[in-house]
Amino acid sequence: MALNEMFVGEIVTELLKQLNAISHKSCFCKSSADNLITSIQELFPIIEELKYSGVELPAFRQSQLNRFSETLRGGIELARKVLESGRWNVYKNLQLVRKMEKLEKQVARFISGPMQAHLLADVHHMRFETMERFNRLEQRLDSMKTGSGRWVEEAVKRMEVEGDSNLGGFSGIGLELGKDKVKKMMIERDDLNVVGIWGIGGSGKTTLANEICRDNQVQSYFNNRILFLTVSQSPDLEQLRAKIWGFITGNEPLNYTRKSQCEWGSGPQALVVLDDVWSLPVLEQLIFRVPTYKTLVISRFKFPRRVVNEVYEVELLGEDESMSLFCRSAFGQNSIPPTANETLVKQIVDECKGLPLALKVIGASLQDQPEMYWINARKRLSRGELICESHENKLLDRMAISVECLKKKVKECFMDLGSFPEDKKIPLDVLVNMWVEIHNIDEEEAFTILMELSDKNLLTLVKDARAGEAYCSYHEICVTQHDVLRDLALHLCNKGEVNERKRLLMPRRDTELPRDWEKNADQPFNAQIVSVQTGTMITLDWFHMEFPKTEVLILNFCSDKYFLPPFIDDMPKLRALIVINHGTTEATLENFSVFTNLANLQSLWLEKVSVPQLSNATVPLRNLRKLSMVLCKVSNSLDPAVLDLPQIFPRLSELVIDHCDDLVKIPLSICKVNSLQSLSLTNCHRLRELPADLGMLKKLQILRLSACPELKMLPPSIGELVGLKYLDISECVNLKCLPKEVGKLVSLEKIDMRDCLQIVNLPTHAALSNLKSLQRVICDDEVFGQWRNLEKTVPNLHVQIAEKWYSLDWLNS
């Protein structure tokens, strides 16, 4: 067997595929799988050097490598057995763990013994032109001697970088040189308090900053006291200043003076990273002159040296790095495959001019496309002017090629993303609702489009540990987008006369509406989507506008008081209304009377607002099907004495109340909303009880009650929910028991009861034996065995012990 056949062929490829699957799906062998993945990956560059050296192997050495090949083949079969093994087969799993550990030791032993001997022999015979290559081999050998613990650590670091960066594959010599230069500025230069990273959009500035923050030397120098903040074009300065000052001082109140700043000079070293800074006045307000604290500023713009003492300018990628990054996106490998047109690929890579984001996005858009499509793409790229000082402006025209190849409906959905503020997470629930209403698609197709955009690197999905499971809520998933891609969406949307645009969008938050809107307000606006971004708005801030065709209105603001726009009255076709406050406290909404004319409204999303009192007189939303209230004050709006939900919302099918900390009980009238199919009361920390007549909701299919710690019991009438398919009571830490009536839920398919610490006993086997439709239960160790006993009676049931997971998203909110 030839050396290159053994290492570059199907054996290692298949084994790595199986090990990656184990790492993601099988917790009991995860550690060994991670170690093996990193160990085998360490072999590739060394084997490549041996392969291309032209050295013939003696028979004895070939025999050793053949035996190692057989070991790896056995590893493939072992990995398959691990993946096929059920979680509940404890004895078999213990055997598999031991075998995985044995395989791990065999690979490590080969690397530390025979493999190093092979390398030393090859070094003796290889025809090196310089000593540089020999030094590189020695460094790789040293890194492999450090043991499996080091391998896992390095693998985790690589995964973290890939997960956090929109530029995924951007790495190499350029990144290391940039990191070293910035580190020297911050660590070795005491005279530099403010250091900058400058470069055009998509050049990898944030990726470089993330690498610097993860660097062990940097973390040690700053005692792990590093704060990373995204500033953006429309920052909330007071909130950012409060975060920075609290970080420096240990949460002291923001009433500092220049004298108080100096008093903190004796504290420990700290680093504040300010990403995506757009203006000098904003930056000056975010820098505190404290001797023991340094600021790293990331921006597209250069600032004067009196503010930013020293700047590192991010260099665009060189020829080799550009080709490697492009090929990873277009072909899934680091080089041009034999089947591709090498000249054509090089021409397209050259047109990207070394910009990492352009290489990655354009590469992904050409993946699996025929050669004629590539030729056409090259021609369109070549029609633009050469990249020079106007590189930033010309980027949008080049990036537009990645969108032009999309199907019409997918392209429309991409352009919709320009409706949302930059550097803010977009709840997937909001996107899906909007796409369903205006593009005539269902939720499944909307999610498929989202995945296509994600696969083509046109957006990034951010999700928690449970997102993607059956019956998971879309508000557990968010969407983010690189600012250059958002600029592209805005660029495509803002073509043509303002009154005729399909999307009427404010690109960034401002204190007033755009002047060209006011100039053209004498004629109707034919936009399908209208997006407004402002601060505090009062009556006089609005002017008369007519929107006869608008179906979606998005109101983003940052304030504790907001006067709803009067022109809502002139939106007869409005189907989806999204109101999101990005301030620090819930905003009071005024002019709620505009809701009286929203006869066609289907979906309403309210976030971080104090919801006014709802009544049939003020809000007759007879066609509303979905109502979502997130981070809201709802106690006034849900007053049981005046609220008649079936009268106000006779067609409501989905109600979401999430993170509303003043919700103690829900109105009894909810039990009469016969159309309700999904009810989500999640993260409501003061919710104490559910209506006794909950069982009247005969059409209810989904009931989510997760993370409601004050909820102590479920009403017995829950057994009357004959259509219920999914019940989520996870993290209801004070819930005492499952009522025996749960056994009457004949349609129930899934129960999630992880972290229900008080539930140690289930209803009797006889009471649960009627759950014939039950397919999956997620629970803790304490009740795992009791659910397992039900598997004989319910043949399709799979019981899963919950893996511990923790979300830190609240730290970035």
Side-chain angles (χ1 to χ4, degrees):
M1 179 185 295
L3 184 64
N4 61 333
E5 290 177 344
M6 183 184 78
F7 280 95
V8 189
E10 296 181 356
I11 300 174
V12 172
T13 303
E14 178 64 21
L15 178 56
L16 282 174
K17 187 189 300 182
Q18 299 285 354
L19 291 171
N20 275 302
I22 292 171
S23 179
H24 286 88
K25 298 180 181 178
S26 180
C27 64
F28 59 87
C29 288
K30 176 177 174 58
S31 176
S32 294
D34 285 341
N35 294 346
L36 284 164
I37 289 169
T38 313
S39 300
I40 294 170
Q41 286 176 337
E42 290 281 358
L43 292 171
F44 279 120
I46 301 169
I47 296 303
E48 286 293 300
E49 295 197 22
L50 289 173
K51 184 177 74 174
Y52 291 113
S53 67
V55 177
E56 292 293 330
L57 294 178
F60 173 72
R61 293 178 60 197
Q62 183 64 68
S63 174
Q64 280 188 320
L65 294 172
N66 286 346
R67 287 198 299 273
F68 186 59
S69 173
E70 292 302 316
T71 300
L72 295 181
R73 271 205 186 92
I76 295 175
E77 185 60 31
L78 176 59
R80 286 180 181 146
K81 290 180 181 179
V82 171
L83 288 173
E84 293 170 358
S85 176
R87 182 185 293 273
W88 56 88
N89 195 335
V90 178
Y91 177 73
K92 182 179 179 181
N93 289 340
L94 287 174
Q95 289 184 315
L96 292 173
V97 169
R98 293 192 183 99
K99 290 181 180 180
M100 285 288 287
E101 291 173 348
K102 182 178 179 182
L103 177 63
E104 180 188 348
K105 290 177 181 177
Q106 288 177 325
V107 172
R109 195 159 46 242
F110 180 82
I111 291 172
S112 61
M115 187 66 198
Q116 294 189 32
H118 286 304
L119 292 174
L120 292 174
D122 289 329
V123 166
H124 180 70
H125 292 287
M126 284 181 182
R127 305 180 186 97
F128 288 126
E129 294 181 1
T130 67
M131 288 300 292
E132 242 176 56
R133 199 166 182 183
F134 178 74
N135 292 336
R136 190 163 66 251
L137 269 176
E138 285 189 325
Q139 290 169 3
R140 286 176 178 164
L141 279 170
D142 289 339
S143 68
M144 293 171 66
K145 292 176 185 176
T146 57
S148 59
R150 171 69 179 273
W151 298 337
V152 173
E153 179 183 349
E154 293 301 319
V156 169
K157 285 183 180 178
R158 285 197 294 269
M159 289 169 63
E160 288 176 345
V161 170
E162 291 173 0
D164 287 351
S165 172
N166 288 336
L167 301 179
F170 172 46
S171 60
I173 297 174
L175 183 65
E176 289 300 319
L177 289 175
K179 186 170 74 169
D180 288 341
K181 289 181 180 180
V182 178
K183 280 172 57 179
K184 288 179 180 178
M185 293 179 195
M186 294 193 303
I187 295 175
E188 299 180 8
R189 296 279 302 275
D190 292 334
D191 59 320
L192 301 179
N193 290 322
V194 183
V195 173
I197 298 176
W198 176 82
I200 66 171
S203 59
K205 303 182 296 293
T206 303
T207 301
L208 175 58
N210 279 325
E211 281 292 308
I212 291 168
C213 291
R214 292 189 181 94
D215 184 85
N216 291 333
Q217 188 180 359
V218 173
Q219 291 180 347
S220 176
Y221 181 81
F222 291 105
N223 302 299
N224 291 314
R225 299 187 73 240
I226 301 175
L227 176 65
F228 197 109
L229 296 173
T230 300
V231 179
S232 78
Q233 285 178 271
S234 306
D236 185 337
L237 279 176
E238 285 307 311
Q239 185 177 2
L240 289 172
R241 282 153 58 89
K243 281 186 177 180
I244 295 171
W245 185 248
F247 172 73
I248 297 171
T249 64
N251 296 318
E252 286 289 321
L254 189 62
N255 56 357
Y256 61 89
T257 62
R258 289 191 178 274
K259 181 180 178 181
S260 66
Q261 291 185 40
C262 296
E263 290 174 357
W264 286 99
S266 59
Q269 292 281 357
L271 172 66
V272 173
V273 182
L274 301 176
D275 187 29
D276 200 20
V277 180
W278 281 74
S279 73
L280 180 59
V282 167
L283 177 59
E284 289 178 318
Q285 292 191 61
L286 297 178
I287 294 176
F288 295 80
R289 300 299 176 181
V290 177
T292 58
Y293 129 84
K294 293 193 176 187
T295 304
L296 177 61
V297 179
I298 298 98
S299 179
R300 299 183 184 191
F301 308 102
K302 283 185 176 178
F303 297 112
R305 293 180 70 90
R306 64 178 175 81
V307 179
V308 180
N309 310 134
E310 191 87 20
V311 173
Y312 170 73
E313 182 175 341
V314 175
E315 300 176 0
L316 297 179
L317 300 183
E319 183 178 344
D320 292 341
E321 288 178 303
S322 294
M323 181 61 70
S324 179
L325 178 57
F326 180 85
C327 287
R328 281 200 290 274
S329 290
F331 308 116
Q333 60 186 59
N334 291 333
S335 57
I336 303 173
T339 55
N341 184 328
E342 182 176 349
T343 301
L344 182 59
V345 173
K346 287 182 176 179
Q347 288 172 340
I348 292 177
V349 170
D350 184 59
E351 289 292 335
C352 294
K353 304 300 178 185
L355 187 67
L357 185 64
L359 289 160
K360 190 172 175 77
V361 174
I362 293 174
S365 71
L366 295 174
Q367 188 175 22
D368 299 326
Q369 297 290 351
E371 184 169 334
M372 290 302 297
Y373 189 94
W374 282 64
I375 293 172
N376 188 41
R378 181 205 61 199
K379 289 180 179 178
R380 285 182 290 167
L381 281 169
S382 64
R383 292 185 193 124
E385 297 179 13
L386 293 175
I387 302 295
C388 55
E389 291 182 356
S390 60
H391 194 161
E392 184 82 30
N393 296 327
K394 298 302 179 184
L395 172 64
L396 295 181
D397 291 330
R398 295 176 182 277
M399 299 293 286
I401 296 172
S402 302
V403 178
E404 289 172 9
C405 68
L406 300 173
K407 291 175 286 189
K408 182 179 179 181
K409 195 169 290 186
V410 179
K411 181 180 177 180
E412 291 291 319
C413 290
F414 169 79
M415 293 169 68
D416 292 341
L417 294 170
S419 308
F420 297 92
E422 62 171 348
D423 296 322
K424 299 291 185 184
K425 293 179 181 178
I426 308 168
L428 182 57
D429 220 355
V430 170
L431 270 183
V432 169
N433 290 345
M434 184 171 77
W435 289 348
V436 167
E437 295 298 338
I438 64 176
H439 295 309
N440 194 28
I441 58 178
D442 56 24
E443 289 191 0
E444 289 74 18
E445 186 176 355
F447 196 81
T448 301
I449 290 173
L450 182 94
M451 296 308 299
E452 181 175 347
L453 292 172
S454 177
D455 290 341
K456 293 187 179 296
N457 298 300
L458 293 172
L459 56 78
T460 301
L461 289 176
V462 181
K463 56 187 179 179
D464 73 12
R466 292 188 286 183
E469 296 183 357
Y471 300 113
C472 80
S473 172
Y474 284 147
H475 69 255
E476 294 167 352
I477 310 174
C478 291
V479 171
T480 61
Q481 191 175 42
H482 193 281
D483 48 8
V484 173
L485 291 170
R486 179 178 176 272
D487 290 345
L488 172 60
L490 289 169
H491 174 70
L492 296 174
C493 291
N494 290 337
K495 294 180 178 179
E497 297 296 328
V498 65
N499 291 80
E500 300 302 322
R501 292 174 187 166
K502 189 173 183 179
R503 299 166 185 84
L504 190 65
L505 312 176
M506 287 181 65
R508 62 185 60 85
R509 193 170 78 236
D510 207 339
T511 56
E512 58 185 16
L513 298 180
R515 291 184 179 180
D516 59 340
W517 292 16
E518 188 171 9
K519 287 180 181 178
N520 293 277
D522 57 330
Q523 297 292 324
F525 294 87
N526 293 319
Q528 185 183 29
I529 301 174
V530 177
S531 176
V532 177
Q533 297 185 56
T534 63
T536 301
M537 296 295 280
I538 61 176
T539 311
L540 298 178
D541 292 326
W542 302 105
F543 47 81
H544 179 72
M545 303 172 74
E546 293 183 12
F547 297 93
K549 298 181 179 180
T550 297
E551 298 180 43
V552 175
L553 174 61
I554 304 171
L555 301 174
N556 283 283
F557 62 93
C558 183
S559 174
D560 58 2
K561 185 180 293 186
Y562 189 77
F563 191 90
L564 291 167
F567 57 63
I568 293 180
D569 269 339
D570 296 302
M571 292 181 166
K573 294 187 176 181
L574 192 65
R575 297 168 61 86
L577 175 58
I578 300 155
V579 182
I580 300 178
N581 173 25
H582 297 283
T584 56
T585 60
E586 296 84 2
T588 300
L589 294 182
E590 298 179 348
N591 195 29
F592 214 67
S593 60
V594 293
F595 278 72
T596 56
N597 293 327
L598 300 181
N600 292 312
L601 193 67
Q602 305 269 329
S603 173
L604 175 60
W605 178 283
L606 301 174
E607 183 171 334
K608 204 179 285 188
V609 300
S610 182
V611 183
Q613 189 176 87
L614 304 176
S615 70
N616 194 35
T618 57
V619 193
L621 301 177
R622 299 194 175 279
N623 286 306
L624 191 71
R625 285 172 167 76
K626 183 165 186 176
L627 173 60
S628 302
M629 295 181 285
V630 178
L631 293 165
C632 290
K633 295 294 184 184
V634 298
S635 56
N636 291 332
S637 61
L638 298 180
D639 184 355
V642 297
L643 186 62
D644 190 346
L645 282 172
Q647 286 294 319
I648 303 174
F649 310 121
R651 292 181 174 85
L652 191 68
S653 61
E654 184 171 352
L655 175 61
V656 175
I657 303 178
D658 181 57
H659 281 93
C660 296
D661 58 12
D662 65 337
L663 180 68
V664 177
K665 59 172 65 176
I666 57 177
L668 299 177
S669 63
I670 195 173
C671 302
K672 297 179 182 179
V673 183
N674 297 325
S675 55
L676 199 62
Q677 298 179 17
S678 175
L679 176 60
S680 296
L681 308 172
T682 55
N683 299 287
C684 296
H685 294 170
R686 295 181 61 195
L687 180 64
R688 296 175 183 172
E689 59 180 315
L690 301 175
D693 293 331
L694 191 68
M696 295 175 63
L697 298 172
K698 302 301 182 184
K699 293 184 179 180
L700 195 68
Q701 297 181 20
I702 296 174
L703 178 59
R704 298 189 186 93
L705 304 169
S706 63
C708 294
E710 291 297 313
L711 190 63
K712 295 182 179 179
M713 63 175 293
L714 301 176
S717 67
I718 194 173
E720 300 172 25
L721 299 175
V722 292
L724 194 67
K725 294 183 178 181
Y726 175 53
L727 174 63
D728 182 2
I729 54 173
S730 60
E731 298 181 85
C732 290
V733 294
N734 284 308
L735 195 63
K736 301 298 183 184
C737 65
L738 273 181
K740 63 181 180 180
E741 288 80 8
V742 167
K744 298 179 182 179
L745 300 176
V746 294
S747 300
L748 192 65
E749 296 177 0
K750 179 180 176 181
I751 299 177
D752 189 341
M753 54 180 296
R754 70 188 83 195
D755 294 320
C756 290
L757 306 179
Q758 301 291 328
I759 302 179
V760 293
N761 291 304
L762 299 179
T764 64
H765 185 279
L768 298 176
S769 59
N770 290 324
L771 298 175
K772 301 298 184 183
S773 300
L774 192 60
Q775 299 175 18
R776 189 177 179 198
V777 173
I778 305 174
C779 63
D780 299 321
D781 288 318
E782 289 77 8
V783 294
F784 173 72
Q786 298 175 58
W787 279 115
R788 279 290 311 279
N789 292 335
L790 194 64
E791 287 182 343
K792 296 178 181 178
T793 309
V794 183
N796 294 323
L797 177 60
H798 171 60
V799 184
Q800 173 186 344
I801 296 179
E803 295 183 21
K804 300 297 181 184
W805 64 277
Y806 304 94
S807 174
L808 299 180
D809 286 346
W810 62 273
L811 290 172
N812 300 317
S813 60

